[in-house]
Amino acid sequence: MNSAPLLHVAIEDDWEASQVFGWYEASTRGRSFSDEGFIHAVTAELLPAVLSRYADLNIPLLLIVLDEAALVKNGVA
């Protein structure tokens, strides 16, 4: 496992919808998990580059910190 936290930038509306429906379908901006086959995540050092891809949007974003140990435990990672 990686010692650095894994981070995912989520559009707030996408994340809130996942709380209602019980699953998160977004992979990255404009791409679904079905499109990509995975959810994009980075470490803190790459976060500025990811945020620059959302700079043209005027909508709330969330920074999701993924629990890598929990993902591994549940067979996701």
Side-chain angles (χ1 to χ4, degrees):
M1 275 189 292
N2 190 347
S3 61
L6 294 175
L7 309 171
H8 172 72
V9 175
I11 295 172
E12 186 176 47
D13 287 347
D14 291 342
W15 186 255
E16 287 180 0
S18 77
Q19 304 307 294
V20 173
F21 296 114
W23 66 87
Y24 182 67
E25 179 59 21
S27 172
T28 190
R29 180 181 176 181
R31 304 285 294 172
S32 71
F33 178 83
S34 298
D35 295 332
E36 296 291 308
F38 62 94
I39 303 238
H40 285 258
V42 297
T43 57
E45 64 199 22
L46 296 175
L47 186 58
V50 172
L51 290 173
S52 72
R53 299 186 75 206
Y54 291 85
D56 63 318
L57 298 180
N58 189 22
I59 57 175
L61 301 174
L62 300 174
L63 182 62
I64 308 301
V65 179
L66 302 172
D67 182 343
E68 188 175 2
L71 293 171
V72 169
K73 181 180 175 183
N74 289 286
V76 176

